[in-house]
Amino acid sequence: MNDPELPACPLPIDRYPMVTMAHGGGGRVMNQLITELLLTAFDNPHLAAQHDGAVVSLPADRLALTTDSFVVSPLEFAGGSIGQLAVYGTANDLAMCGARPRFLTLSLILEEGLPIPTLWREVLAIKRACEVVSVHVVTGDTKVVERGKGDGMFINTSGVGELLSAWAIGPSAVRPGDAVIVTGDLGRHGIAVLAAREGLSFDSPIVSDCGSLVAPILALLEAGIELHCMRDLTRGGLASALNEVCLVSRTSLELDETQLRVDSAVRSACELYGLDPLHVANEGRCAIWLPAGDASRALEILAGFEICRGASVVGAVRDSGPGIVTARSAYGTSRIVDLLSGEQLPRIC
Amino acid sequence: MNDPELPACPLPIDRYPMVTMAHGGGGRVMNQLITELLLTAFDNPHLAAQHDGAVVSLPADRLALTTDSFVVSPLEFAGGSIGQLAVYGTANDLAMCGARPRFLTLSLILEEGLPIPTLWREVLAIKRACEVVSVHVVTGDTKVVERGKGDGMFINTSGVGELLSAWAIGPSAVRPGDAVIVTGDLGRHGIAVLAAREGLSFDSPIVSDCGSLVAPILALLEAGIELHCMRDLTRGGLASALNEVCLVSRTSLELDETQLRVDSAVRSACELYGLDPLHVANEGRCAIWLPAGDASRALEILAGFEICRGASVVGAVRDSGPGIVTARSAYGTSRIVDLLSGEQLPRIC
């Protein structure tokens, strides 16, 4: 892919068209990669200090920490790429804790032979996504593994966020009677990655929902809505997220299946591949547990954000036996929504 | 390796002898890996919350952040293993910033087929190393890649530390006249990994120096010694560390080569392989820039720590032309100690 809109790569691609073992060797070639490509792209005073770590100031004494490694295959898909996914994924995890993302660390594991233009494209994707969520990459690390010992690139992003809520947000705060909101339609990301991997094309292209949930979640918190728990719907999809929270919070959940949105192209692809959209990964959707009385105000606020178009109340927390998620269909029938026993679509994040 | 001293693995190894794609799929098998193996081993209230991130409290408003991915091959070597290396490496980076390590994040990228007992051994190695440096793993992530798309296991550890120094420690604080201490003999780690990789055996076994520098560095700070800069001597060895700091601080450094310690077995192995011990990686050694008048007191303090046995003043900072490291030999001759242009021993950390 050659995008004329991208800034030119600052490394001499004619001399080093691809990543070599020397790029991870601690010598001059690695130094050039770090100073000319990475430090130039992410230019900020923390990185410019070129120390073993970054020293940062935070007003809060309660912080949120999170870490994620990204191994998505392929690196690029409709609607996103590994670099964007890494930043939004980690920023979203901080938002799920009720925190404003502040600082990011970036660690790359590159496979020998990765084209430098691919690396540059992902560095720019990381930079743009950092701008969207208002974080800086403050420290980083780069490793190179031999050809056949990695898969292009893996990215770890760890994040530090400043807690905005005075109360604890998480599974332990879930209460019987809570409403559960899902912030949009389901299954886009998993199917977009599957399509890129298998070279599939659908009548209407399926674009990943990969995006930042930071702004809408901060808006809910700033409006004073007492969110009890949030969980983004990544690996294992909505089903895993709900089951995990029900198990830890010892509550049950009854879903109203008519309130779950699935795009018709996603639904068709799921039928074709024998997938349940409730198990397919999303990268810009979350479930929110909150007092039922606040649900309609929350939906009004979420409606102001493009990424939350289609948010709705999908269910309510019950105290009838812990850890069970059920879904009631339009026909009034009810089924148990379980964790998958194994894996369905590997390496979607 | 079966070590009767290790606690038994809590997973049913007969049913799941090795890592499968399902261990990263977001379903029941992954949930079991996380709750029964990882959460059991690292048991603490932050992890027990099973949220997307951890909420931590820190009294300081100035924090040190660092991140490192570890791709060492092989996973185990004389004197250490990838898990131990990951914890000590990240803790040492925080110490280099003048910070007490407080919280660690742990992200695993596992290759399908990795034996579960190997994973368990590394989890226990991580746990033990965390105890040594008094940190907790507060949040984590696990991914699985297909056989042939990784190499056993890669580990990312990111760390948050509490700054102990009121002043900025780093290359920008280096001053002409500063003494430079190196905290022990050079080259053990790189040669120990090379030996494990190539199946070499030496007359006297070479054991990695992999270890924690946290206690000795905190002791120097607590004694009120105004450390200017510290750098651990990992990839690229002493030569890279000194060159990097000289380049960023725009100073020069004259080394007294007679003050550099290299074990005789390490020296023989380096001669055999055409390696310069100054370029070989260490994992329990650092260089310290400090006011010359404080050097002897610092050496007295360091002498109290086994890992700093053999610490000595190895040189002094000059203002003659920026960015040059020279070494004066026992014969009075002088040579330039440069960054390597490429890589020498890949994947030592």
Side-chain angles (χ1 to χ4, degrees):
Chain A
M1 237 189 290
N2 268 314
D3 186 336
E5 308 236 322
L6 292 185
C9 178
L11 280 189
I13 294 177
D14 47 337
R15 273 176 58 207
Y16 294 109
M18 53 184 71
V19 170
T20 64
M21 292 307 290
H23 283 109
R28 193 174 299 284
V29 177
M30 176 167 139
N31 194 271
Q32 188 186 38
L33 175 75
I34 289 172
T35 55
E36 295 181 20
L37 197 144
L38 297 169
L39 297 189
T40 303
F42 300 123
D43 188 32
N44 66 57
H46 298 108
L47 279 180
Q50 293 192 49
H51 199 21
D52 283 342
V55 171
V56 299
S57 284
L58 269 176
D61 69 347
R62 283 169 70 236
L63 307 175
L65 302 183
T66 190
T67 187
D68 267 300
S69 287
F70 293 85
V71 299
V72 64
S73 170
L75 299 177
E76 295 171 298
F77 46 85
S81 67
I82 188 169
Q84 176 186 326
L85 191 60
V87 175
Y88 290 155
T90 293
N92 287 348
D93 277 349
L94 291 172
M96 297 301 105
C97 298
R100 181 194 301 276
R102 290 293 307 270
F103 303 107
L104 217 62
T105 67
L106 174 67
S107 182
L108 306 173
I109 298 177
L110 309 177
E111 185 191 10
E112 181 186 20
L114 178 75
I116 295 283
T118 304
L119 173 60
W120 178 236
R121 227 161 36 237
E122 292 312 316
V123 165
L124 292 174
I126 291 166
K127 178 184 164 74
R128 278 192 304 263
C130 282
E131 286 161 5
V132 169
V133 296
S134 298
V135 291
H136 286 297
V137 171
V138 293
T139 188
D141 181 48
T142 303
K143 294 285 168 21
V144 180
V145 296
E146 301 88 346
R147 210 181 280 264
K149 301 293 185 186
D151 196 14
M153 68 191 297
F154 301 145
I155 298 179
N156 177 280
T157 39
S158 299
V160 179
E162 186 184 336
L163 277 186
L164 296 187
S165 65
W167 64 95
I169 291 177
S172 60
V174 170
R175 294 285 171 271
D178 279 358
V180 177
I181 288 174
V182 165
T183 61
D185 67 329
L186 299 174
R188 287 180 175 277
H189 177 71
I191 300 299
V193 171
L194 176 71
R197 194 181 297 167
E198 309 283 333
L200 307 176
S201 63
F202 302 106
D203 290 344
S204 47
I206 296 171
V207 174
S208 169
D209 59 310
C210 178
S212 165
L213 292 165
V214 173
I217 298 304
L218 294 189
L220 294 176
L221 290 169
E222 281 159 5
I225 296 183
E226 197 187 322
L227 307 177
H228 287 171
C229 182
M230 294 179 271
R231 185 63 58 107
D232 54 350
L233 313 178
T234 59
R235 269 184 294 179
L238 178 68
S240 278
L242 298 182
N243 270 283
E244 286 166 15
V245 171
C246 280
L247 276 171
V248 176
S249 64
R250 299 171 181 277
T251 57
S252 282
L253 186 60
E254 191 175 65
L255 284 176
D256 175 357
E257 227 167 344
T258 65
Q259 292 303 309
L260 299 176
R261 317 271 157 99
V262 181
D263 175 84
S264 62
V266 170
R267 190 176 295 282
S268 304
C270 282
E271 282 169 8
L272 197 63
Y273 281 84
L275 303 172
D276 182 340
L278 270 54
H279 285 127
V280 177
N282 315 273
E283 287 292 343
R285 303 287 181 261
C286 68
I288 303 172
W289 284 253
L290 75 175
D294 290 325
S296 59
R297 196 156 63 96
L299 287 178
E300 276 167 32
I301 293 169
L302 293 176
F305 297 89
E306 176 67 22
I307 196 165
C308 295
R309 207 170 48 178
S312 59
V313 174
V314 303
V317 176
R318 308 286 185 214
D319 50 8
S320 53
I324 310 286
V325 180
T326 51
R328 207 179 56 250
S329 76
Y331 313 104
T333 58
S334 189
R335 62 174 177 124
I336 287 182
V337 178
D338 209 352
L339 279 176
L340 282 179
S341 78
E343 57 85 27
Q344 186 189 52
L345 286 174
R347 298 186 58 189
I348 48 71
C349 63
Chain B
M1 234 189 292
N2 268 314
D3 186 336
E5 308 237 323
L6 292 185
C9 178
L11 281 189
I13 294 177
D14 47 336
R15 272 177 59 208
Y16 294 110
M18 55 185 70
V19 169
T20 65
M21 293 307 290
H23 283 110
R28 192 175 300 284
V29 177
M30 176 168 141
N31 194 271
Q32 187 185 40
L33 175 74
I34 289 172
T35 55
E36 295 182 20
L37 196 144
L38 296 169
L39 297 189
T40 303
F42 300 123
D43 187 32
N44 66 58
H46 301 289
L47 280 180
Q50 293 191 50
H51 200 20
D52 282 343
V55 171
V56 299
S57 284
L58 268 176
D61 69 347
R62 284 169 68 237
L63 308 175
L65 302 182
T66 190
T67 187
D68 267 298
S69 287
F70 293 85
V71 299
V72 65
S73 168
L75 299 177
E76 296 171 297
F77 46 84
S81 68
I82 189 169
Q84 176 185 327
L85 191 60
V87 175
Y88 290 155
T90 293
N92 287 348
D93 278 349
L94 291 172
M96 296 301 104
C97 298
R100 182 194 300 278
R102 291 292 308 270
F103 304 107
L104 216 62
T105 68
L106 174 68
S107 181
L108 305 174
I109 299 178
L110 309 177
E111 184 191 12
E112 182 187 19
L114 178 75
I116 295 282
T118 303
L119 173 61
W120 177 236
R121 227 160 36 235
E122 292 312 317
V123 164
L124 291 174
I126 291 166
K127 179 184 164 74
R128 278 192 304 262
C130 282
E131 287 161 5
V132 169
V133 296
S134 298
V135 292
H136 286 297
V137 171
V138 293
T139 188
D141 181 47
T142 303
K143 295 283 168 18
V144 180
V145 295
E146 301 88 345
R147 210 180 280 263
K149 301 293 185 185
D151 195 15
M153 68 190 298
F154 301 144
I155 299 179
N156 178 280
T157 39
S158 298
V160 178
E162 186 183 337
L163 276 186
L164 295 188
S165 65
W167 65 95
I169 292 176
S172 61
V174 170
R175 293 289 171 265
D178 279 0
V180 178
I181 288 174
V182 165
T183 60
D185 67 328
L186 299 174
R188 288 181 176 277
H189 177 71
I191 301 299
V193 172
L194 176 71
R197 195 181 297 167
E198 309 284 333
L200 308 176
S201 64
F202 302 106
D203 289 345
S204 47
I206 296 172
V207 175
S208 168
D209 59 310
C210 178
S212 165
L213 291 165
V214 173
I217 298 305
L218 294 189
L220 293 176
L221 289 169
E222 281 160 5
I225 296 182
E226 198 186 319
L227 307 177
H228 287 171
C229 183
M230 294 179 271
R231 186 62 59 105
D232 53 350
L233 312 178
T234 58
R235 270 186 293 180
L238 178 68
S240 279
L242 298 182
N243 269 283
E244 286 166 15
V245 171
C246 279
L247 277 169
V248 176
S249 64
R250 299 171 182 277
T251 57
S252 282
L253 186 59
E254 192 176 65
L255 284 177
D256 176 356
E257 227 167 341
T258 65
Q259 292 303 310
L260 299 176
R261 317 273 157 99
V262 181
D263 175 83
S264 61
V266 170
R267 191 175 293 281
S268 304
C270 282
E271 282 169 9
L272 196 65
Y273 280 84
L275 303 172
D276 182 340
L278 270 55
H279 286 126
V280 178
N282 315 275
E283 288 291 344
R285 303 287 180 260
C286 68
I288 303 172
W289 285 252
L290 76 173
D294 289 327
S296 59
R297 196 156 63 97
L299 288 179
E300 276 167 32
I301 293 168
L302 293 176
F305 297 90
E306 176 68 21
I307 196 166
C308 295
R309 208 169 49 178
S312 59
V313 174
V314 302
V317 176
R318 308 290 184 211
D319 50 8
S320 53
I324 311 286
V325 180
T326 52
R328 207 178 57 250
S329 75
Y331 313 105
T333 58
S334 189
R335 65 175 175 122
I336 289 181
V337 178
D338 209 353
L339 280 176
L340 283 179
S341 78
E343 56 86 25
Q344 187 188 50
L345 286 174
R347 298 186 60 192
I348 47 72
C349 63

